[in-house]
Amino acid sequence: MAIVDAEAPFIAAATDTALAGVSDFRGRLVYRSTSGGWRSALFVIVVEVASTFAYFGLSANLITYMTGPLEHSNAAAASAVNVWSGTASLMPLLGAFVADSWLGRYRSIILGCILYVMGYGMITIVSTLPALHLSPHDDNGLPSMLVAFFYASLYIIAIARGIDKPCGVAFAADQFDPDHPRERVARSSLFNWWYFSIAIGMAAAIAMISYIQENVGWGIGFGMLCAIMFCSFFVFLLGSPTYRIYAPTPGNESPFTRLGSGLVALAKSSSFPFGAREDDLREEEDGAAVTRSEEARTVLRLLLIWAACLAYGVVFAQIMTFFNKQGRTLDRRIFGGLVLPPAALQTFTPVSILVSVPLYDRVLVPALHRMTGNPTGLTLLQRVGTGMAVSLAAVCVAALVEGRRLETAREHGLVDDAGATVPMSWVWLVPQYVMVGVADVFAMIGMQEFFYDQMPSELRSLGLALYYSVIGMGGFISGGLISLIDSITTGYGGDSWFADNLNHAHLDYFYWLLAAISAAELALFIRLASSYAYRNKIVT
């Protein structure tokens, strides 16, 4: 024991005992007084806020880069951004599998950081090449090496995000012992500060990086993201001696393998997921098979709720694409001659989150508690449904504003001038950005807690991956819908709904279509939520 103590990263107090089932990054014993807690969690928070800053610094203005230096059409750029962001949001499914089955959270975060630095470094190189001023296709009509290199860098970043995101908050939470009273309280506080910090990173990135990209240079803007990720990676490594690491246990099943065996057991029982024939089968099955089949049945119920949330992800995808393009056509002057980059308007979404979270927690929840008797004010599904309703209202507002913008362009004879500034203030777009942020406070936080709380404990990493994948699938659906509508509306010789000259386009029609889809899914969600039976006795 003396040898082990001598190898410990810090000298533990004489009365301090080694924590069971936990080691440091070299596999040595760790002690409560010299490991974990806020001192360790803050190192993780730094890298996660930096990764959020970098991601939104890239994604917020990506459509402008694609329609500018890369010369993509509006429809092609919007579809590409949606598919890329969708991939980045679906990758946590793969990342959770890799972390739970093989690498563990600590090494997964390290791998994610390496890929982040590589991806942002590559996109910095692309944006500084003189060839950026050439067409994105060579003389043979094949994609140029420039575009291939650009997309490779984007998808390396998407893979990095998928590896990192399902591990970041979980690894930070690992630094607190849930069986220790004081650390359990601190762990609960971590989640509140985590979301608050992420919102700050989003707001800072959108406001700062978009301005630098358009007014100083794309290469400098992307280079800053690479530098920030490199520095945060270094900070994360500095915290390594203090981390508490729960390594995957050899032979343990991953959540996905466990779910697969549960689905097999469920199929063998020939029982419909929502039926009640299992009573006759319990004598024929062993206890493990029954448990797995019940877990699978629970996941199938949750998948129905997940499917009813996808329209929310489709609306969310428009923030980085068509909301941005709308803003570019408006008068964005502030303080005299200063002109806001259109991507900077996205700042209103995280700012509204920062304002809404304390209002929800300190004002709305107590008021609803007095009305409903529920300690949390709303049940989890009521909270998600409220967010979906606000999202529906946001896209309706966006359609009305776009209709007003088109009318103003016609009144001033600007329909055929693609580069003209429509005499209409950027302030018109603020409500739709703010409403999306408010919807996030209800829907996104509600979904995160719902899929974590209602998923069987052995499958909770899958639950968090489902939460991320709502936005991912929404991006894919949006990209496919845009491509389909673009081909249909241009197939008869008319202008596309997404024409490069937005004064000829019909984004208002597209927004009304999204409103109809959102309304239909909200009705389905309400029907499913009204009959959903919570796993916990205390409904939250």
Side-chain angles (χ1 to χ4, degrees):
M1 180 62 72
I3 295 177
V4 174
D5 289 344
E7 292 180 344
F10 299 103
I11 299 176
T15 58
D16 203 5
T17 57
L19 296 174
V22 186
S23 66
D24 72 355
F25 72 111
R26 291 182 178 175
R28 302 173 301 191
L29 297 176
V30 295
Y31 298 85
R32 189 180 308 281
S33 64
T34 57
S35 70
W38 280 108
R39 96 189 94 196
S40 300
L42 287 175
F43 287 108
V44 186
I45 290 175
V46 166
V47 77
E48 293 305 313
V49 171
S51 67
T52 299
F53 181 96
Y55 177 77
F56 283 93
L58 170 63
S59 62
N61 215 21
L62 187 56
I63 192 170
T64 301
Y65 184 79
M66 287 186 169
T67 55
L70 290 189
E71 300 180 3
H72 287 8
S73 68
N74 281 342
S79 181
V81 172
N82 287 160
V83 171
W84 170 73
S85 63
T87 301
S89 296
L90 281 177
M91 277 293 170
L93 288 167
L94 174 62
F97 173 78
V98 171
D100 288 341
S101 305
W102 181 33
L103 284 181
R105 289 163 183 160
Y106 172 72
R107 287 185 293 177
S108 291
I109 294 174
I110 290 177
L111 176 60
C113 286
I114 292 172
L115 293 177
Y116 275 136
V117 174
M118 182 187 302
Y120 287 112
M122 289 171 61
I123 206 168
T124 301
I125 294 172
V126 168
S127 62
T128 56
L129 291 177
L132 274 178
H133 301 290
L134 303 178
S135 170
H137 293 81
D138 61 24
D139 294 337
N140 297 322
L142 297 175
S144 68
M145 289 299 295
L146 173 66
V147 175
F149 197 73
F150 169 76
Y151 277 101
S153 65
L154 279 185
Y155 280 91
I156 287 175
I157 292 170
I159 294 171
R161 186 170 172 82
I163 293 173
D164 167 58
K165 282 305 167 186
C167 300
V169 67
F171 187 65
D174 286 346
Q175 306 312 308
F176 301 92
D177 183 356
D179 295 325
H180 187 274
R182 188 168 57 189
E183 291 194 17
R184 183 171 62 247
V185 173
R187 181 178 181 177
S188 177
S189 179
L190 167 72
F191 289 96
N192 296 326
W193 285 108
W194 183 276
Y195 197 80
F196 191 84
S197 300
I198 293 300
I200 291 175
M202 290 170 56
I206 293 168
M208 183 189 308
I209 299 300
S210 61
Y211 182 85
I212 292 173
Q213 288 168 343
E214 296 203 37
N215 294 278
V216 180
W218 289 99
I220 294 176
F222 291 142
M224 286 182 62
L225 303 181
C226 182
I228 288 170
M229 281 311 309
F230 180 82
C231 292
S232 67
F233 182 25
F234 180 73
V235 170
F236 177 78
L237 292 177
L238 285 179
S240 294
T242 73
Y243 294 147
R244 298 173 183 174
I245 298 175
Y246 298 82
T249 303
N252 274 11
E253 287 184 315
S254 76
F256 303 91
T257 304
R258 187 181 183 94
L259 175 60
S261 63
L263 290 172
V264 170
L266 186 61
K268 287 181 178 179
S269 72
S270 300
S271 173
F272 186 72
F274 303 100
R277 293 181 53 201
E278 65 219 79
D279 292 340
D280 298 332
L281 297 165
R282 288 182 183 271
E283 295 180 357
E284 301 175 13
E285 296 179 313
D286 58 29
V290 171
T291 299
R292 299 293 175 83
S293 64
E294 289 177 348
E295 289 176 349
R297 185 177 291 109
T298 297
V299 172
L300 291 177
R301 291 192 183 101
L302 293 178
L303 284 175
L304 288 178
I305 300 292
W306 174 84
C309 294
L310 293 180
Y312 182 87
V314 177
V315 173
F316 188 87
Q318 310 316 312
I319 298 176
M320 295 182 295
T321 55
F322 291 129
F323 282 18
N324 187 308
K325 299 301 289 185
Q326 277 181 293
R328 183 163 292 278
T329 67
L330 301 182
D331 183 354
R332 291 173 277 111
R333 290 176 297 178
I334 59 172
F335 307 127
L338 182 61
V339 178
L340 282 174
L345 299 179
Q346 296 177 39
T347 307
F348 286 101
T349 295
V351 167
S352 66
I353 292 173
L354 292 174
V355 173
S356 298
V357 167
L359 285 177
Y360 178 84
D361 188 62
R362 300 299 179 184
V363 178
L364 187 59
V365 169
L368 290 173
H369 171 50
R370 288 191 293 269
M371 295 172 57
T372 65
N374 189 322
T376 59
L378 298 172
T379 66
L380 293 177
L381 289 180
Q382 286 172 343
R383 182 173 185 173
V384 174
T386 301
M388 292 176 66
V390 176
S391 172
L392 167 60
V395 78
C396 289
V397 169
L400 292 171
V401 170
E402 177 61 10
R404 174 62 179 169
R405 192 195 67 81
L406 290 174
E407 182 181 346
T408 303
R410 286 192 293 268
E411 289 175 354
H412 290 82
L414 302 174
V415 173
D416 296 322
D417 188 351
T421 297
V422 176
M424 184 173 167
S425 174
W426 57 270
V427 177
W428 281 82
L429 295 182
V430 172
Q432 64 201 59
Y433 280 114
V434 170
M435 292 174 76
V436 170
V438 173
D440 255 13
V441 172
F442 285 93
M444 294 301 288
I445 299 177
M447 278 189 277
Q448 183 180 34
E449 186 175 356
F450 175 77
F451 287 117
Y452 178 84
D453 182 72
Q454 295 299 298
M455 190 70 71
S457 58
E458 295 82 1
L459 303 174
R460 278 178 171 167
S461 60
L462 174 61
L464 290 175
L466 280 178
Y467 152 73
Y468 280 113
S469 68
V470 168
I471 300 299
M473 283 302 299
F476 278 116
I477 294 170
S478 177
L481 195 59
I482 290 169
S483 297
L484 176 63
I485 293 173
D486 184 58
S487 63
I488 292 174
T489 54
T490 56
Y492 297 98
D495 289 320
S496 168
W497 282 10
F498 317 109
D500 292 340
N501 181 352
L502 282 189
N503 298 329
H504 283 179
H506 277 292
L507 288 184
D508 53 339
Y509 292 176
F510 179 61
Y511 290 152
W512 284 123
L513 176 62
L514 294 187
I517 294 173
S518 298
E521 278 233 316
L522 178 59
L524 173 62
F525 178 87
I526 293 173
R527 180 178 178 85
L528 293 172
S530 63
S531 60
Y532 183 81
Y534 287 84
R535 293 180 64 243
N536 301 325
K537 293 181 179 179
I538 300 176
V539 178
T540 60

